[in-house]
């Protein structure tokens, strides 16, 4: 009751201070003492903030507890289910993977290109030896071994099959035919060849690195002339090596191998860029040469390559003292071995012109007026006139075909590569205008290149070639190696009214 007796003004002032939050007391030096300002507005805000944060932490803890418990329950259930149902399948899958890795261990690439670890083969199972026979019985005879498979084809040379997913497309076991056409010789039976087997000129030996000090080397470079000139250069290199008393070596990128690939084996595989390493020993055996990577390899072995003629120098090389009979036999020996493996492209072209199973006889005539600039030199050297043969005059052709009984058989004209020579076209038109020949000539503008149809000329019943064309000369030589001299007319002469070879 004593408070009621205080003056109203003092009660009102104290009440005002309590009710107004923006008025603070200055009693006890609160404003100047540095103590915290205990404003009721600020303190109520901090308390509310702390209360909300605490509530959020409690709710988060509850959620984590609930989700963690649920995840734990699901994990236990999944492990229990997988161990009861999928474990056999998982083990079986692991075993299959292990089997595959074990069977293809060579194809596994170890990390960092390290060599694959060696896989030790499983130890062989112990095999108990059979009991010995009784003393009074003879031992049983040994089991008969299965006979070896019958030899197929030319067994004197190794199988030239190659890798890269395909093998050389060569004829095997058909030594008496080429591209399906019969020939009058067995290419694999050297004892029955018309000329003796001659793998070397003179007392030549197989070239080896151990005995070679100086060699004749055919390297990379542009070949000289057409296919016939290239063949001449190649075989003259043998003559040069014999005269130099040095073995003949060939680099892997040599023009010589590229020339041979046009006629023999598969040109897609035996080209300098694709020839497989496995095939080089095989070519060395046929050609009796040594094939090396480059001249630098020879120099590293202290083998020297003296100065020798360029490609055109080999073409013009000749030595009067050489045994021409032995040189002929040597060339025919190499050719007969190469001819057992004709280029598939040549056989394909032959089939296009004659069909899959040619039965009718035919004649091939080679035109090459561009070579006739050398005709005066040939006439002077042989002291004979070869004009009729070089120009393929109608009377010359009719005379030969009439005596060979071939006037009723088809005639295939062929020309050198390159644009048509007007003189060749004029000569062909002269034959077409002849009443005995005009309906027998089969001319195909897209199949006229002699270099693509060498085998057509080699296997023809009658072949008429230009005596100053190197390829015509080589066709005549190869036909002679095949024992087809009959029907070959290149170097001819007139005897009476007839032209003879």
């Amino acid at each position: 009751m004593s408070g009621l007796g205080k003056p109203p003004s003092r009660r009102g002032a104290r009440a005002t201070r309590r009710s107004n939050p923006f008025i603070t007391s200055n009693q006890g030096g609160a404003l100047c003492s540095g103590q915290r300002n205990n404003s009721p507005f600020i303190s109520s805000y901090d308390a509310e903030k702390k209360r909300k944060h605490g509530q959020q932490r409690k709710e988060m803890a509850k959620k984590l507890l609930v989700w963690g418990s649920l995840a734990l329950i699901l994990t236990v259930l999944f492990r229990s289910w997988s161990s009861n149902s999928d474990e056999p399948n998982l083990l079986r899958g692991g075993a299959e993977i292990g089997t595959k890795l074990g069977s293809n261990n060579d194809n596994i690439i170890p990390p960092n290109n390290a060599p694959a670890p060696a896989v030790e083969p499983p130890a062989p199972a112990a095999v108990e030896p059979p009991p010995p026979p009784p003393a009074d019985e003879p031992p049983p005879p040994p089991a008969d071994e299965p006979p070896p498979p019958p030899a197929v084809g030319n067994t004197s040379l190794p199988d030239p099959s190659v890798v890269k997913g395909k093998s050389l497309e060569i004829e095997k076991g058909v030594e008496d035919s080429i591209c399906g056409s019969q020939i009058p010789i067995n290419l694999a039976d050297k004892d029955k060849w018309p000329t003796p087997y001659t793998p070397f000129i003179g007392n030549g030996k197989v070239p080896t690195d151990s005995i070679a000090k100086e060699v004749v080397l055919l390297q990379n470079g542009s070949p000289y002339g057409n296919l016939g000139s290239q063949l001449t250069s190649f075989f003259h290199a043998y003559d040069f090596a014999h005269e130099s008393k040095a073995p003949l070596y060939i680099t892997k990128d040599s023009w010589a191998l590229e020339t041979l690939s046009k006629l023999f084996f598969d040109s897609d595989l035996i080209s300098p860029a694709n020839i497989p390493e496995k095939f080089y020993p095989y070519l060395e055996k046929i050609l009796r040469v040594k094939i090396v990577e480059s001249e630098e390899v020879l120099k590293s072995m202290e083998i020297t390559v003296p100065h020798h003629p360029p490609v055109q120098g080999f073409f013009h090389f000749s030595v009067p003292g050489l045994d021409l009979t032995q040189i002929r036999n040597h060339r025919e020996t190499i050719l007969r071995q190469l001819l057992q493996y004709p280029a598939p492209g040549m056989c394909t072209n032959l089939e296009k012109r004659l069909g899959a199973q040619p039965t009718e006889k035919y004649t091939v005539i080679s035109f090459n007026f561009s070579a006739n600039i050398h005709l005066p030199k040939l006439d002077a050297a042989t002291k004979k006139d070869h004009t009729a043969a070089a120009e393929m005059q109608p009377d010359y052709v009719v005379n030969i075909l009439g005596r060979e009984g071939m006037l009723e058989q088809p005639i295939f004209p062929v020309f050198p590569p390159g644009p048509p020579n007007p003189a060749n076209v004029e000569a062909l038109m002269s034959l077409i205008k002849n009443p005995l020949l005009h309906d027998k000539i089969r001319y195909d503008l897209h199949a006229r290149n002699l270099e693509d149809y060498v085998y057509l000329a080699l296997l023809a019943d009658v072949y008429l070639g230009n005596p100053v064309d190197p390829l015509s000369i080589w066709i005549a030589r190869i036909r002679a190696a095949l024992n087809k001299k009959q029907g070959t007319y290149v170097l001819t002469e007139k005897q009476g009214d007839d032209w003879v070879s």
Side-chain angles (χ1 to χ4, degrees):
M1 294 299 291
S2 61
L4 295 175
K6 293 181 179 181
S9 59
R10 294 178 62 86
R11 289 199 303 269
R14 185 178 297 121
T16 302
R17 286 196 299 268
R18 285 196 303 266
S19 61
N20 189 349
F22 299 99
I23 301 177
T24 58
S25 175
N26 194 28
Q27 294 178 357
L31 291 176
C32 301
S33 63
Q35 294 180 356
R36 180 181 176 185
N37 188 348
N38 293 322
S39 169
F41 177 80
I42 297 176
S43 61
S44 63
Y45 173 79
D46 289 342
E48 180 67 18
K49 183 177 180 181
K50 291 179 180 179
R51 185 184 63 79
K52 289 183 178 180
H53 285 180
Q55 186 177 358
Q56 289 176 354
R57 285 195 296 269
K58 290 180 182 179
E59 291 179 356
M60 181 63 67
K62 290 179 181 179
K63 291 181 180 180
L64 291 176
L65 180 62
V66 172
W67 285 108
S69 301
L70 182 60
L72 180 61
I73 294 172
L74 292 177
T75 301
V76 173
L77 292 176
F78 178 78
R79 288 183 177 179
S80 176
W81 171 76
S82 62
S83 62
N84 293 332
S85 60
D86 288 347
E87 184 174 1
N89 293 333
L90 293 175
L91 293 177
R92 183 170 59 252
E96 292 176 355
I97 294 174
T99 301
K100 292 179 180 179
L101 291 178
S103 61
N104 297 314
N105 187 65
D106 293 340
N107 296 327
I108 299 175
I109 301 177
N112 300 324
N113 294 327
V119 180
E120 297 182 359
V127 179
E128 297 182 0
D136 56 348
E137 293 184 7
D144 294 335
E145 296 182 359
V152 179
N154 182 8
T155 58
S156 62
L157 298 173
D159 183 5
S161 299
V162 296
V163 289
K164 294 188 177 182
K166 67 182 289 191
S167 61
L168 292 176
E169 301 175 23
I170 58 177
E171 292 190 44
K172 300 292 289 183
V174 190
E175 295 89 356
D176 58 351
S177 70
I178 295 178
C179 300
S181 297
Q182 293 295 314
I183 56 176
I185 187 178
N186 189 318
L187 294 171
D189 191 351
K190 298 188 291 289
D191 295 334
K192 295 182 179 180
W193 285 356
T195 55
Y197 174 74
T198 311
F200 302 103
I201 299 176
N203 297 321
K205 297 180 180 179
V206 178
T208 60
D209 297 333
S210 59
I211 64 173
K213 297 300 180 183
E214 294 183 355
V215 302
V216 175
L217 184 65
L218 300 184
Q219 304 185 65
N220 187 21
S222 300
Y224 177 71
N226 61 16
L227 180 58
S229 300
Q230 295 169 32
L231 290 173
T232 299
S233 300
F234 174 67
F235 280 97
H236 278 184
Y238 284 99
D239 306 340
F240 183 86
H242 171 72
E243 182 68 12
S244 303
K245 296 180 174 57
L248 181 60
Y249 278 51
I250 301 177
T251 60
K252 293 180 179 179
D253 60 353
S254 171
W255 59 268
L257 295 184
E258 185 174 0
T259 295
L260 295 178
S261 71
K262 298 177 182 179
L263 297 174
F264 311 108
F265 308 107
D266 189 337
S267 59
D268 292 336
L269 290 178
I270 308 304
S271 64
N274 299 325
I275 183 169
E277 196 70 27
K278 179 181 177 182
F279 202 77
Y280 288 117
Y282 186 78
L283 284 177
E284 291 177 341
K285 187 175 181 66
I286 292 179
L287 303 177
R288 303 292 176 168
V289 300
K290 183 71 174 179
I291 301 177
V292 295
E293 187 71 33
S294 63
E295 183 176 356
E296 285 69 25
V297 174
L298 297 178
K299 291 180 179 179
S300 67
M301 297 186 295
E302 298 183 352
I303 298 176
T304 61
V305 182
H307 175 73
H308 55 76
V311 177
Q312 60 268 28
F314 284 119
F315 176 80
H316 295 289
F317 176 79
S318 63
V319 178
L322 291 179
D323 187 343
L324 298 182
T325 299
Q326 189 178 57
I327 290 177
R328 179 204 62 192
N329 297 342
H330 171 253
R331 292 172 179 173
E332 291 186 353
T333 294
I334 293 177
L335 290 170
R336 287 173 184 139
Q337 294 181 91
L338 290 172
L339 285 166
Q340 295 178 55
Y341 308 99
M346 290 289 180
C347 293
T348 300
N349 290 341
L350 187 68
E351 182 177 333
K352 289 179 180 178
R353 301 307 305 272
L354 303 179
Q357 295 180 342
T359 56
E360 61 180 353
K361 296 181 178 182
Y362 68 93
T363 297
V364 170
I365 299 178
S366 293
F367 295 85
N368 190 355
F369 265 76
S370 60
N372 290 351
I373 59 174
H374 304 291
L375 183 59
K377 184 177 179 179
L378 175 65
D379 291 345
T382 60
K383 298 181 180 180
K384 297 177 182 177
D385 184 7
H386 297 89
T387 303
E391 296 179 355
M392 291 297 164
Q393 297 173 357
D395 292 343
Y396 173 82
V397 175
V398 170
N399 179 268
I400 293 175
L401 297 186
R403 288 186 295 105
E404 292 284 348
M406 296 290 291
L407 284 175
E408 299 301 321
Q409 305 302 326
I411 301 171
F412 294 95
V414 289
F415 303 89
N421 186 323
N424 292 333
V425 176
E426 183 179 353
L428 175 62
M429 294 305 299
S430 297
L431 298 184
I432 293 176
K433 293 177 181 178
N434 188 284
L436 297 176
L437 304 174
H438 75 280
D439 59 343
K440 303 298 184 299
I441 295 177
R442 299 182 182 178
Y443 177 68
D444 184 352
L445 181 62
H446 302 288
R448 60 179 184 82
N449 187 349
L450 177 57
E451 291 193 7
D452 293 335
Y453 290 87
V454 169
Y455 280 52
L456 183 73
L458 292 181
L459 301 173
D461 296 274
V462 176
Y463 173 68
L464 279 67
N466 188 322
V468 288
D469 174 28
L471 186 52
S472 293
I473 297 294
W474 275 105
I475 289 175
R477 288 171 175 167
I478 299 175
R479 285 174 61 90
L482 295 174
N483 204 20
K484 288 178 69 70
K485 289 183 178 181
Q486 179 67 32
T488 303
Y489 295 87
V490 179
L491 290 171
T492 58
E493 60 179 339
K494 193 170 185 179
Q495 295 181 355
D497 294 333
D498 298 328
W499 293 93
V500 298
S501 178

